[in-house]
Amino acid sequence: MKVLFICCAGMSTSLLVEKVIKVAKERNVELDLAAMGEAEARSQLKDADVILLGPQVRYLERSMGKELAGTDVKLGVVDMLAYGRMDGAKVLDQILQLAQG
């Protein structure tokens, strides 16, 4: 499953991505997870299975939702509490839930 994590390219996001990847490996979930800024991500939106927006860029949800209309790409905003706690397990659960829904 290809997941794009869109953020402001901060260090905290890289740390969260590492934690999500670690939990995914522990659970035997195959993930191709990349974190990037909005400009870089725009060219790759339709190649992803799931797109997660960091809480700091949640304002992009509406415009990206319109851009992804008619595709199978799932879009969500990372739970703010999970982001703040760097809870890789909770974020992975959110990814899996979006992928199924």
Side-chain angles (χ1 to χ4, degrees):
M1 174 179 357
K2 184 170 181 176
V3 180
L4 290 183
F5 196 137
I6 301 175
C7 58
C8 291
M11 288 298 292
S12 58
T13 303
S14 297
L15 180 60
L16 182 56
V17 165
E18 288 175 20
K19 290 184 179 230
V20 172
I21 289 171
K22 181 180 182 228
V23 174
K25 285 181 182 176
E26 290 169 358
R27 294 186 189 175
N28 293 317
V29 174
E30 284 192 42
L31 275 188
D32 176 5
L33 179 58
M36 59 190 68
E38 174 192 2
E40 185 180 1
R42 289 265 179 202
S43 66
Q44 300 180 43
L45 291 181
K46 294 179 182 166
D47 295 332
D49 298 303
V50 174
I51 297 174
L52 274 181
L53 301 173
Q56 68 276 34
V57 293
R58 76 176 317 129
Y59 64 88
L60 296 172
E61 187 174 19
R62 178 175 280 179
S63 67
M64 287 195 175
K66 288 179 183 176
E67 211 170 317
L68 294 169
T71 71
D72 292 331
V73 180
K74 308 299 184 195
L75 175 66
V77 177
V78 176
D79 177 80
M80 195 175 303
L81 192 56
Y83 187 89
R85 291 183 176 169
M86 293 286 128
D87 188 338
K90 189 161 185 169
V91 174
L92 178 59
D93 290 343
Q94 186 178 6
I95 290 168
L96 296 173
Q97 186 176 12
L98 279 167
Q100 292 174 355

